[in-house]
Amino acid sequence: MLQALGRRARRVGPLLVGLAAIGGIVLVISPASLGRALSRFNLALVPAILLLWVAFYLLQGVRWHFLLREIGARLSVRDTVLLNMAGQTITALLPLGDLTRAVLVSEVREVPFGAVVATVTVQELTYTLFLILLAGPGVLEAGHGTGVLVLVLAFMVAVFVILTVPPVFHAVHGLVMRIPLLRRFVRQIEQLQHETVTLLHRPDTLGWSILDLARAAAAVAAFWLIVEGMSPGTLGWWKAACVLTVANVGGAISLVPGGIGANEAGVAGLLVLFGVDPGTAGAAALLQRGFASGTAAGFGLLAFVLVRRRFQVRLRLLPSAPEPARSFRSGT
């Protein structure tokens, strides 16, 4: 009984913390300021913002299709887009929920779970890298946040080096083996490293990354339109890219479901730093969450229903019997 309650608390706890953080942002900025900013929002921009978010998830699905094709997962573009969209319903609710996409594909097609996780890892690494590149001009223009952007870029490079440089991975592998909590994940880490290296050595992996650049541009454009809809001319496109990048990375490393709370705090704080009034900054953070999560939840739930009917899947949070991982030395 107590163990069951503990598991539920671990699942729901981070989400509650994130929601509490959003409530704190509302109180700090003041509901009145937020209300005035929201009342100024240009509703004529709503269709364009929604269209950009739909394009965001379509691009994500198409890019993932080409990565899955590299590991032998035989899926049509339509089915991959459906599975990708269906996974978004869980992504907003649980930490590391993006792995739901990998679970769905490993159930629908007989491909190793670790190989599918590697496709998700490569896709999100390249997407974040392009976000960072788009943020660069905004940082240089504003003169603020350079240190933060450098730290984010250094973190991304470190992850890339660990996964792709054998001596570094061997050193990290040895460190993981000494940590009891992480030791049980060694086999999965070995397989992830092997599959990631294999993917990155294939020309199509880099060639189709142009879709990740388009996805990053769509996300930035949608966010910029939100700010523009309340305070025209206040925030340039490149500065919007900077705000979105730093906030997204901060939300991701917080391990709070969907970065709830951490992402909004980052968005509001950086907008204020760039000269946006606090009411508009807080309202933009809330609208950004509403459009992103609302699109994911709405279309994701519909896609999940279609996926269940088409493939008769029974969603599990982790595969019950993952394949044994290859030795990490074989991936070097």
Side-chain angles (χ1 to χ4, degrees):
M1 181 68 175
L2 291 177
Q3 290 180 344
L5 289 174
R7 286 194 297 269
R8 290 177 183 174
R10 285 193 295 271
R11 291 178 181 178
V12 179
L15 179 61
L16 295 178
V17 170
L19 292 175
I22 292 179
I25 294 171
V26 172
L27 291 176
V28 168
I29 294 176
S30 90
S33 297
L34 288 172
R36 285 192 295 270
L38 289 171
S39 67
R40 296 195 305 268
F41 182 69
N42 185 359
L43 295 178
L45 295 176
V46 169
I49 296 171
L50 288 176
L51 184 62
L52 284 166
W53 274 109
V54 170
F56 175 92
Y57 290 114
L58 286 175
L59 288 165
Q60 184 183 46
V62 174
R63 161 63 164 156
W64 197 35
H65 167 76
F66 291 111
L67 287 170
L68 290 173
R69 188 177 66 177
E70 294 292 327
I71 65 170
R74 298 183 179 278
L75 287 163
S76 67
V77 175
R78 181 191 63 180
D79 288 342
T80 308
V81 169
L82 269 179
L83 289 165
N84 177 73
M85 199 68 238
Q88 306 305 323
T89 57
I90 305 297
T91 300
L93 298 176
L94 294 175
L96 304 179
D98 205 38
L99 294 180
T100 306
R101 297 194 282 148
V103 176
L104 286 170
V105 169
S106 65
E107 288 192 5
V108 169
R109 292 291 181 265
E110 293 183 359
V111 288
F113 179 69
V116 185
V117 172
T119 65
V120 175
T121 301
V122 169
Q123 182 178 30
E124 295 313 305
L125 278 174
T126 53
Y127 167 70
T128 305
L129 179 59
F130 280 125
L131 267 182
I132 292 171
L133 293 177
L134 292 178
V139 172
L140 295 176
E141 180 185 349
H144 298 301
T146 305
V148 174
L149 193 65
V150 169
L151 287 175
V152 171
L153 183 59
F155 174 77
M156 295 297 301
V157 171
V159 172
F160 183 83
V161 169
I162 290 171
L163 288 173
T164 58
V165 179
V168 178
F169 180 75
H170 296 170
V172 174
H173 180 272
L175 179 63
V176 170
M177 289 293 291
R178 294 185 177 89
I179 303 175
L181 184 63
L182 298 178
R183 192 181 301 155
R184 58 179 175 171
F185 298 110
V186 165
R187 296 177 70 186
Q188 289 91 333
I189 294 172
E190 290 172 358
Q191 187 171 14
L192 174 63
Q193 187 267 349
H194 172 86
E195 301 293 349
T196 301
V197 168
T198 301
L199 276 172
L200 289 173
H201 278 82
R202 293 175 177 168
D204 283 354
T205 299
L206 296 179
W208 287 108
S209 64
I210 190 68
L211 296 175
D212 289 325
L213 174 59
R215 182 162 65 111
V220 173
F223 175 65
W224 176 76
L225 282 178
I226 288 173
V227 180
E228 189 73 5
M230 289 180 289
S231 184
T234 303
L235 188 73
W237 197 91
W238 297 110
K239 288 183 180 179
C242 178
V243 172
L244 190 66
T245 299
V246 176
N248 277 8
V249 174
I253 64 178
S254 72
L255 289 184
V256 175
I260 296 176
N263 190 296
E264 285 72 25
V267 167
L270 287 168
L271 285 177
V272 170
L273 184 65
F274 285 154
V276 178
D277 70 272
T280 299
L286 296 179
L287 285 174
Q288 169 72 3
R289 170 63 61 184
F291 279 112
S293 297
T295 305
F299 286 94
L301 185 59
L302 176 60
F304 187 69
V305 171
L306 294 174
V307 164
R308 291 201 63 175
R309 290 180 179 176
R310 179 170 174 78
F311 298 106
Q312 303 298 313
V313 298
R314 182 174 61 85
L315 182 63
R316 301 185 300 268
L317 293 181
L318 287 173
S320 56
E323 287 192 4
R326 304 178 185 90
S327 168
F328 64 87
R329 293 183 179 85
S330 67
T332 60

